[in-house]
Amino acid sequence: LNRKGLGTDKLTALEVACRRHGLPLTVQRRVVLQALAGRDDHPTADEVLAEVRQRLPEVSRTTVYRVLDTLVQLGLAVKICSPGSGVRFDPKTHRHNHLVCIRCEKVMDFETSALEALPIPDLRAQAFTIHDYSVHFRGLCRDCEKRGDGRAKRARGRATRSKATRARAS
Amino acid sequence: LNRKGLGTDKLTALEVACRRHGLPLTVQRRVVLQALAGRDDHPTADEVLAEVRQRLPEVSRTTVYRVLDTLVQLGLAVKICSPGSGVRFDPKTHRHNHLVCIRCEKVMDFETSALEALPIPDLRAQAFTIHDYSVHFRGLCRDCEKRGDGRAKRARGRATRSKATRARAS
DNA sequence: TTGATTGCAAACCTTTTGCAAGTTC
DNA sequence: GAACTTGCAAAAGGTTTGCAATCAA
């Protein structure tokens, strides 16, 4: 939708971050960041790869993995992970919450001021220094709610993983 | 520590659940459940396998994966997952929160009454029916805090994954 | 006996690695 | 020109699957 706008903002941040860390600003880094920034559905590395290849058909899967990793290190993206859906990337780096569908494993963003002032426990004396937090709400998305009970999947039944269009080749 | 007690409670629950679902109560299911119930460190499937083999040296990795999956379906365990540490299993099925170390990726349980009454948004009119929630606190565990800055890992530096002792062989 | 589970071996998928060639500054 | 990245091919993990043998009820 407003990919251009998002992309531009993020691109500037990328330039700054690369300069600060003495890293070269490569074409691949730019395109991967833009592909990620244009989405709010927490794509997997392969989903990012597919999108990147629309603009840069020659990128290798390896590079996309490496660049995504770099973006996380630079603080321009965040890795998230929920059982069943594996590792995903989120271009939103500010504090926010997630809605996780226990049926289709989709992960959606969810922001609300009601959860911004959570009482953050002080555990420093004990064993942990808290930097930030995220509330994960588990439940059923609209599609899965419609589609059936969503209670217990049949024991030993396989979860229907939505493997996205996958771009094969190294 | 008090494995016996925990194991017994859980075993009863397993019997009930199997009967209700018409599933046979196999030795493997019993032992896997006990292995999992005796821990509070969210083991991976392979870590569970290692423990199960102490009592039942002949189990196959495949079976442990399948049984863990079944336990989740039966509501006797929960899958958790955080980037870097992959899929892990938690015998605690009641609502609780997690402390996630951003350095070593350890995941610890964290219970506090302060977070039991979180204002749960009603999103049913929109797109999501919330069943429950879990607060993930990200930060540094004591060990990692001591060990260094923990701020930015060097760009492109590899995270030190604590691959646990892994029992090879199928 | 019947239907489900187990173990095995092999397939699968995702992610990582070593190294030569190509880029960025 | 020096240092870093990229692409490739291959390895490494972790997880799943098909099938015959075995087990619980």
Side-chain angles (χ1 to χ4, degrees), chain A residues 29-142:
Chain A
R29 281 180 179 151
R30 247 187 307 241
V31 178
V32 169
L33 179 64
Q34 283 184 301
L36 183 60
R39 311 181 50 149
D40 62 351
D41 62 342
H42 312 96
T44 62
D46 261 18
E47 288 165 353
V48 174
L49 172 68
E51 180 144 346
V52 168
R53 284 204 171 145
Q54 292 178 10
R55 292 205 213 171
L56 217 61
E58 304 307 314
V59 268
S60 72
R61 163 178 279 102
T62 308
T63 295
V64 170
Y65 274 91
R66 281 193 285 225
V67 170
L68 284 170
D69 191 40
T70 303
L71 295 180
V72 171
Q73 312 284 329
L74 293 176
L76 297 169
V78 166
K79 253 186 182 176
I80 61 177
C81 176
S82 70
S85 61
V87 176
R88 292 170 175 280
F89 294 85
D90 190 344
K92 286 192 185 144
T93 55
H94 64 277
R95 222 205 68 52
H96 65 283
N97 312 293
H98 288 125
L99 304 175
V100 183
C101 179
I102 57 180
R103 190 43 120 54
C104 69
E105 315 284 0
K106 214 180 308 171
V107 180
M108 286 159 281
D109 288 324
F110 174 56
E111 312 204 28
T112 172
S113 55
L115 296 169
E116 287 309 312
L118 228 57
I120 299 185
D122 186 346
L123 303 174
R124 275 172 297 177
Q126 295 159 58
F128 205 87
T129 308
I130 292 174
H131 288 192
D132 74 341
Y133 65 90
S134 166
V135 184
H136 292 218
F137 291 99
R138 296 162 27 85
L140 290 175
C141 70
R142 177 153 41 191

Side-chain angles (χ1 to χ4, degrees), chain A residues 21 23 29 66-67 69-70 73-74 78-84 86-87 99-102 106 108 110 112 114-115 118-121 123-143 145 150 152-159 161, chain B residues 21 23 29 66-67 69-70 73-74 78-84 86-87 99-102 106 108 110 112 114-115 118-121 123-143 145 150 152-159 161:
Chain A
H21 290 257
L23 301 178
R29 281 180 179 151
R66 281 193 285 225
V67 170
D69 191 40
T70 303
Q73 312 284 329
L74 293 176
V78 166
K79 253 186 182 176
I80 61 177
C81 176
S82 70
V87 176
L99 304 175
V100 183
C101 179
I102 57 180
K106 214 180 308 171
M108 286 159 281
F110 174 56
T112 172
L115 296 169
L118 228 57
I120 299 185
L123 303 174
R124 275 172 297 177
Q126 295 159 58
F128 205 87
T129 308
I130 292 174
H131 288 192
D132 74 341
Y133 65 90
S134 166
V135 184
H136 292 218
F137 291 99
R138 296 162 27 85
L140 290 175
C141 70
R142 177 153 41 191
D143 294 345
E145 176 107 272
K153 310 179 199 175
R154 205 162 23 281
R156 293 271 357 270
R158 297 267 156 271
R161 301 214 183 157
Chain B
H21 290 256
L23 300 178
R29 282 181 179 151
R66 281 193 284 223
V67 170
D69 192 39
T70 303
Q73 312 283 329
L74 293 175
V78 167
K79 254 185 179 174
I80 62 177
C81 176
S82 71
V87 177
L99 303 175
V100 183
C101 180
I102 57 181
K106 213 181 311 173
M108 286 159 281
F110 173 55
T112 170
L115 294 169
L118 228 56
I120 298 186
L123 302 174
R124 275 172 296 177
Q126 296 159 58
F128 204 88
T129 308
I130 293 174
H131 287 191
D132 74 341
Y133 66 88
S134 166
V135 184
H136 292 218
F137 291 99
R138 296 163 27 86
L140 290 174
C141 70
R142 177 153 41 193
D143 293 345
E145 177 107 270
K153 309 179 198 174
R154 204 161 26 279
R156 293 271 358 267
R158 297 267 158 272
R161 302 218 183 153

Side-chain angles (χ1 to χ4, degrees), chain B residues 39 45-55 165-167:
Chain B
R39 309 181 50 150
D46 263 17
E47 288 166 354
V48 174
L49 172 68
E51 180 146 345
V52 168
R53 285 206 170 141
Q54 292 178 11
R55 291 207 213 168
T165 318
R166 180 174 303 125

